[in-house]
Amino acid sequence: MISNSSGFSWDHENKMIVCEKQVFDDWVKVHRDAKGLRLKPFIHYDSLVEAFGRDRANWLGAEGPAEVAEDLNNDNDFLDLEGDGLPENVVPTPTTRTPTSAPNPTRTRKRARDAYSQCLGDMASTIRSFVEVTKTHLETMKEVLLSDQTTSEKRGKLVEELMKIEGLGDYDVLEAAAAIIGDDSKIELFFSLPDNLKRQWIYKLLNH
């Protein structure tokens, strides 16, 4: 779109093709496969350019994933990797090599295949790492939320439990609640103690 027609541009930040809607609609009338590509992000564009960009630019050995697979199958048909590299009915003949500066399409295709395979491998590794890290974060968040929920429930019952302690007046209950409610560790300690120790700890906390 960008190289063959005016009105299209590339948004490097969002990795997408941008253009006026009418310009895109006119393009789709002729190129139906482009339907839905307007404002669609291509998040792996830079990686794919690294793999294919050079070949696509000069059309030397340029090929897509399907062509790569076909070439690999063709290579297996003609090369005996377990033997001497030649079919039995082929007799090697001397050849004269002449210097040339022309690019080697086979070597170019191989570089493109290697780069594409590396790209896919890196993407798969990144996705696996992301999933593992996300899973760990979700488990941690779950534990924190459950812990917070439990502490919050205990905080709501704190005054009620303090009022059950023998010998505490209303003022003492308010003082003890104020000293405990802002500290999660004190809340956990209070509810973990048996009743006789609760009374002793609260009296100590109030300096009685």
Side-chain angles (χ1 to χ4, degrees), residues 124-184:
S125 177
T126 300
I127 292 173
R128 282 195 299 270
S129 299
F130 174 78
V131 171
E132 292 173 359
V133 171
T134 301
K135 182 179 180 181
T136 300
H137 287 335
L138 289 176
E139 291 295 331
T140 302
M141 290 173 60
K142 179 182 178 181
E143 294 176 1
V144 171
L145 290 174
L146 290 175
S147 176
D148 288 347
Q149 181 180 358
T150 302
T151 303
S152 178
E153 292 174 354
K154 291 178 179 178
R155 188 179 286 110
K157 297 179 180 179
L158 179 61
V159 172
E160 180 183 348
E161 292 298 316
L162 287 171
M163 293 177 66
K164 295 178 181 179
I165 298 178
E166 184 180 354
L168 289 184
D170 292 344
Y171 182 78
D172 293 331
V173 170
L174 292 175
E175 284 289 308
I180 297 174
I181 201 166
D183 190 329
D184 291 347

Side-chain angles (χ1 to χ4, degrees), residues 35-66:
K35 184 178 181 180
L37 296 183
R38 180 173 179 266
L39 302 182
K40 178 180 180 180
F42 294 84
I43 58 176
H44 299 298
Y45 172 78
D46 292 331
S47 298
L48 294 175
V49 166
E50 182 179 351
F52 297 107
R54 185 177 302 172
D55 294 332
R56 291 297 181 187
N58 55 29
W59 293 100
L60 292 176
E63 53 186 6

